[in-house]
Amino acid sequence: MRRPGATGPVTRAGRPQTTWWKTAVGLVLTAVMLFPVYWMVNVSFTRDEAMRKSPPDLFPLHGTLDGYRAVLHQQVPYLGTSLLVGLGTVGLTLVVAAPAGYSLARLRPLGAGVLGFVLLVAQMIPGIIMAMGFYAVFLNLNMLNTLSGLVLADATIAVPFGALVFQAFMSGIPEELLQAATVDGAGPVRVFWSVVLPISRNAIITVGLFAFLWAWSDFVFASTLDGGGRARPVTLGIYQYIGNNNQQWNAIMATAVVASIPAAVLLVVAQRSIATGVTTGAVKD
Amino acid sequence: MLAVTDPATSQSPRGVAEPAASRGRKRRTTGQLTAWAFLLPLVVYLLACYAYPLYRNLDLSLRDYTVRSFVQGDAPFVGLSNYRTIIADPTFLPALLHTGVFTLGSLVFQFSIGLAMAVFFHQHFRLSATLRALLLTPWLLPLIVSSSTWSWMLDSEAGVVNAALSAVGIGPVHWLTAPGWSLASVTIANIWIGVPFNLVLLYSGLQGIPSQIYEAAAIDGAGGWVRFRHLTFPLLRQVSAITLLLGLVYTLKVFDIIWIMTRGGPANASTTFATWSYQLGFGSMLPRFGPGAAVGNLLIVAALAVGLGYIRSRSRWGDV
């Protein structure tokens, strides 16, 4: 049945008439894996009265925009909060992680090994435990239900990751470039600002995108640290929709669709960044 | 600019004579100061937003906190009493068991599905790269989005899963409300979220295997399965170990999915350490911060034990 070389990269020569069925299988696999995403979109357009129909409608042929109207009327403040928290987290993460990555990569600080180890370990601490500690700290500092508190907490997800990405990227900058700047009389801050940062644009984009995505998606910190106040992000908006024993699943799913937009944007504009995001810290270059 | 550099740098070691030692030491000190100045924001952040909350968490677990003493900060020190409380709690053993089943079930299926897909998409065919990118979607979606979507799909009456099952003659399964099914349901959702992560890591591992090895094996007449069993699998061992260990660390952390889908219920049937900790600390009107923090610290110990194993195998792999 199988021709030798049907698996593995041997078929690089690739005859289209023998690979079309692989494309078909690949399409089916992808469709199965992404069915829940399709279903979320489908339900977001389904009318209330058709919601509990059995069997459910597979296509929103007689759909409605009620769900999205509910998003406009009820979820905009939450979305705004998420946007602010996301941007704040990006800013904080970049300010903390970029100089640290430069130092770890190029300036040979004593104790760099220990710090690198700490960064790896930090990524393994469960968020729920950080949340409980933050709750105790913020309660005493009166920082519960504040945007800045949520930004500080959300950045814990991205800062160690960011420092490691910057370290890996900045290690690859050619030494001659930095030396040239030094010879021209630039101090370390100047070299960092005018040479290293502009070259590191891709790393900045990767770290920034992930910091935003993770802060935007955060549920643990939001529900523990901002559960009661006005600074509630969209993840809590969805959660409260469900919690109210709400039958308006089109509104819930419409909010979910809107909350997925940053992920979709990331997927379209920054595929290469995503691969970096998954593999950094996991695979040593 | 580059042309100027070379003579300048090559001259400097020769140009400096006697005072090189002391000047070198001074330069080294300045260098260290500069290096640590760049690290300062990170160090401050790690101390304030990692070390201090973790210390407070440890402190919580060693004191008898009530809501009042939580605000006033005068809770009495009780040593390990919170830890004894949780170990004697009737929820402890089920939570331990569920954490184990959830973690193991997630890992086995995430890894095998991820590996199968990585091998499949490693072939060259039209749309391979595009589909592989699309398959990352579950990993990128906010957990609340995936969890609530799965909740509705698994709904007993109106869910699409039960509708599909009834089409083939299987009666309704109470995925989220039957004690026998809720753990399986949250595990399925978690597997779905974790497959892309395994796929990407294993795919990058496959790319590291030189294609000549396969060509040689193909010339020797090795079939697809033989090549997978005797080439791909052994050569992928290091990447597999890393993928599994990282998966283990991430799965131990999972809280959102379970909490959003079942809140650990019904009757604690899907409670893991992560949700139990949250349940104790935030899940009721009468928070029990001390025991909650104690459960959390047990979880940290487990995650770190696995994590250190990961870091060891990672550095061993880096040497190869």
Side-chain angles (χ1 to χ4, degrees), chain A residues 2 7-8, chain B residues 111-112 114-120 202 206 209 214 217 222-236 240:
Chain A
R2 271 191 165 177
T7 43
Chain B
F111 180 79
S112 27
L115 179 60
M117 290 177 104
V119 169
F120 180 78
L202 293 167
L206 285 177
I209 301 177
Y214 285 104
W225 172 250
V226 173
R227 266 177 293 146
F228 176 77
R229 175 73 188 74
H230 293 284
L231 285 179
T232 311
F233 208 66
L235 286 170
L236 216 53
S240 302

Side-chain angles (χ1 to χ4, degrees), chain A residues 55 68 82 113 144 152 161 177 182 218 225 247 272 283:
Chain A
Y68 291 88
S82 285
L144 289 174
L152 278 176
F161 163 81
L177 277 177
T182 314
D218 161 69
L225 306 176
Q247 295 308 309
R272 198 167 296 167
V283 178

Side-chain angles (χ1 to χ4, degrees), chain A residues 202 205-206 209 261-274, chain B residues 133 140:
Chain A
N202 285 343
I205 292 173
T206 304
L209 285 172
I261 291 175
V265 171
L266 194 67
L267 201 62
V268 173
V269 303
Q271 276 180 27
R272 198 167 296 167
S273 292
I274 298 171
Chain B
L140 291 173

Side-chain angles (χ1 to χ4, degrees), chain A residues 5-7 22-23 33 36 103 108 110 123-124 128-130 139-140 152 155-156 184 223 239 249 281-282, chain B residues 1 32 35-36 45 49-50 56-57 70 120 123 126 149 152 192 227 246 253 259 263 278 296 307 310 314:
Chain A
T7 43
K22 287 179 189 165
T23 304
M33 272 296 282
S103 178
R108 298 198 194 93
L110 290 170
Q123 291 178 296
M124 294 165 182
I128 177 67
I129 287 140
M130 295 300 299
L139 187 74
N140 293 135
L152 278 176
T156 56
D184 287 352
S223 73
Y239 185 64
W249 273 90
Chain B
M1 207 155 68
Q32 281 302 316
W36 278 93
Y45 181 80
C49 291
Y50 266 98
R56 285 302 300 271
N57 199 56
F70 203 79
F120 180 78
Q123 305 169 93
R126 199 180 289 253
T149 305
W152 186 240
W192 181 74
R227 266 177 293 146
L246 267 187
K253 283 168 51 161
W259 188 257
R263 290 180 170 243
Y278 184 89
Y310 157 67
R314 177 177 179 268

